[in-house]
Amino acid sequence: MSAETGRIRVCFPFVGDDVGGSHISALKLVQNLDTSRVAPVLVLQDITGPLADFLKMEGQPFMGLPPLTTLPAKGTTWGGVATYLTSTLPHLSRFIREQRFDIIHTNDGRTHINWGIAARFAGARLVWHHRGDPDAKGANILGPFIADRMVTVSRFSRPKHPIRSLNGRLSVIHSPFDHPLDIPDRAAAKAKLLEELGLAPDTHVLSFIGGLIERKRPLLFINIIERFRREHPHIPIVGCVFGNSPAGSHDLEFAARALCVERGLDRIVRFMGFRSPIEPFLAATDVLVVPAIGEPFGRTLIEAMFLGTPVVATDHGGNPEAIENGRTGFLVAPEDTKAFMEPLWRLLSDPSLWARISQAARKQACFSYSTQQHVEKVMEVYGQALRTPAAASLACNTTGEK
């Protein structure tokens, strides 16, 4: 830790070309850490991208990488590997030492590898925060070798086949969530949304919220909307898609829009883009539809529960860790549009069931999740990382020349 302040310096590195749940969760952690004990620093490779804009909007300071540093996107070519080893790795390691970071806390695949290896060379501790696929190669092969501690956001997302044992080094910590102090007025929020969309006041809102990536199944959401409209034509609905295709990913937004045109759903499915804050739109939603496969632990699902918005989600990934089927929401078979029909119909046609699920979900969320719980558990991980066998040499490095 810093000799001048006695605080642990923790670096949170990001590329910066997109904004998603991992960024929001990391920001909540950063904003709620005890700054008398920890000095968190967000570092962005791209200081002109959407993440920089989001952090500015949130009033969160960040710093950019030295201008000559370039990170290979995947490092799959020999040229990329050579560039990393001869240029990026020494540059990042020097940056970590100069900034006297005690811990590098990585949060996504592109930073785990680039910054993780550099952290080891620089003598800093590495906390690898895994928010993805339990079969991910990095989490199963590289992470077990270089991470001092690994954190996963759910039991589901724990590495399935780690090449080296993670016993004593892995913690399951659910993402941080703030208890909403003010619940948006649902009627007012819905009226405003329907007015924006030019739809009748009796229209039911079914929403998809998240990045338009294959794992989240946005095209399946469109198929669900189409089928429900066909089977229940007397129930007026609109399907709202909140989110964009992340930078560097396959453009599923284009595919989703094309599918809507093909199926004649132009007026039934609306593409809303990225909205922040999302709470008013969640409050305007009658049912949140989560068709995702392998979702480690979706933020939006829990945020919906806090607001009392019922959720119908696939019985897959981390969803069963959050929802008790039939009590706090509904879990259905994955990849099956038919499985969504009955719970959606019941929720939209039975106000007493909707109210019961809404109340139980909100009560469960308020009891189970909080930012403070998350922060306390992460602080325990930091302490454990600094008490590893290399901690003694780290202490020397951080109080003297690094």
Side-chain angles (χ1 to χ4, degrees), residues 18-61:
D18 67 342
V19 179
S22 63
H23 306 98
I24 295 171
S25 292
L27 180 59
K28 285 191 177 295
L29 170 62
V30 167
Q31 291 175 332
N32 288 276
L33 285 168
D34 182 352
T35 54
S36 69
R37 301 168 59 195
V38 180
V41 180
L42 274 76
V43 178
L44 273 57
Q45 176 189 345
D46 182 357
I47 60 172
T48 62
L51 182 54
D53 293 339
F54 177 72
L55 294 177
K56 290 174 184 175
M57 183 176 66
E58 292 288 322
Q60 176 62 46

Side-chain angles (χ1 to χ4, degrees), residues 84-349:
Y84 178 76
L85 293 176
T86 61
S87 177
T88 304
L89 177 57
H91 207 68
L92 282 180
S93 298
R94 183 166 58 251
F95 176 72
I96 291 169
R97 287 193 299 270
E98 290 173 350
Q99 291 295 321
R100 298 179 178 270
F101 290 127
D102 301 303
I103 294 173
I104 306 299
H105 187 150
T106 57
N107 288 270
D108 59 61
R110 290 184 290 175
T111 56
H112 290 324
I113 297 174
N114 288 302
W115 285 82
I117 297 174
R120 301 302 294 180
F121 272 81
R125 303 295 88 195
L126 173 62
V127 173
W128 179 305
H129 206 138
H130 184 55
R131 305 174 183 276
D133 189 343
D135 291 311
K137 289 183 179 179
N140 283 276
I141 298 174
L142 183 62
F145 275 107
I146 68 172
D148 294 283
R149 294 286 304 185
M150 183 176 287
V151 175
T152 64
V153 295
S154 63
R155 294 188 298 275
F156 165 79
S157 59
R158 292 175 298 189
K160 278 187 179 179
H161 308 290
I163 199 168
R164 179 187 174 198
S165 174
L166 287 164
N167 288 344
R169 293 189 293 137
L170 187 144
S171 301
V172 176
I173 304 177
H174 291 146
S175 299
F177 296 94
D178 291 327
H179 293 188
L181 298 178
D182 297 309
I183 304 296
D185 182 284
R186 299 190 68 93
K190 185 175 179 181
K192 184 177 180 180
L193 175 60
L194 293 178
E195 181 181 6
E196 175 186 340
L197 299 176
L199 297 174
D202 64 342
T203 304
H204 294 283
V205 179
L206 305 180
S207 292
F208 170 100
I209 302 178
L212 303 189
I213 58 176
E214 184 61 33
R215 187 185 78 229
K216 294 183 183 291
R217 299 296 197 268
L219 302 185
L220 182 60
F221 172 75
I222 293 171
N223 291 334
I224 291 167
I225 296 297
E226 180 190 33
R227 181 165 186 158
F228 188 88
R229 180 169 175 259
R230 184 174 67 248
E231 294 188 5
H232 303 284
H234 61 288
I235 301 179
I237 62 168
V238 62
C240 290
V241 178
F242 293 92
N244 298 313
S245 293
S249 68
H250 176 60
D251 190 359
L252 279 184
E253 181 173 349
F254 178 83
R257 288 180 180 273
L259 181 61
C260 288
V261 172
E262 176 188 325
R263 304 282 178 83
L265 299 172
D266 308 61
R267 293 284 298 170
I268 304 301
V269 177
R270 304 296 184 88
F271 292 84
M272 310 298 294
F274 177 78
R275 302 289 182 106
S276 183
I278 195 61
E279 284 79 10
F281 301 99
L282 268 174
T285 296
D286 291 294
V287 183
L288 178 69
V289 180
V290 182
I293 298 295
E295 187 75 352
F297 200 76
R299 284 198 62 82
T300 307
L301 185 154
I302 304 299
E303 290 168 342
M305 293 174 69
F306 269 120
L307 297 179
T309 297
V311 178
V312 179
T314 53
D315 189 6
H316 199 269
N319 296 340
E321 296 179 39
I323 292 177
E324 183 180 341
N325 187 39
R327 192 180 78 84
T328 61
F330 289 97
L331 296 170
V332 302
E335 308 282 23
D336 184 356
T337 58
K338 182 180 179 180
F340 283 85
M341 296 303 105
E342 182 180 357
L344 287 175
W345 173 78
R346 291 178 63 194
L347 286 167
L348 296 184
S349 60

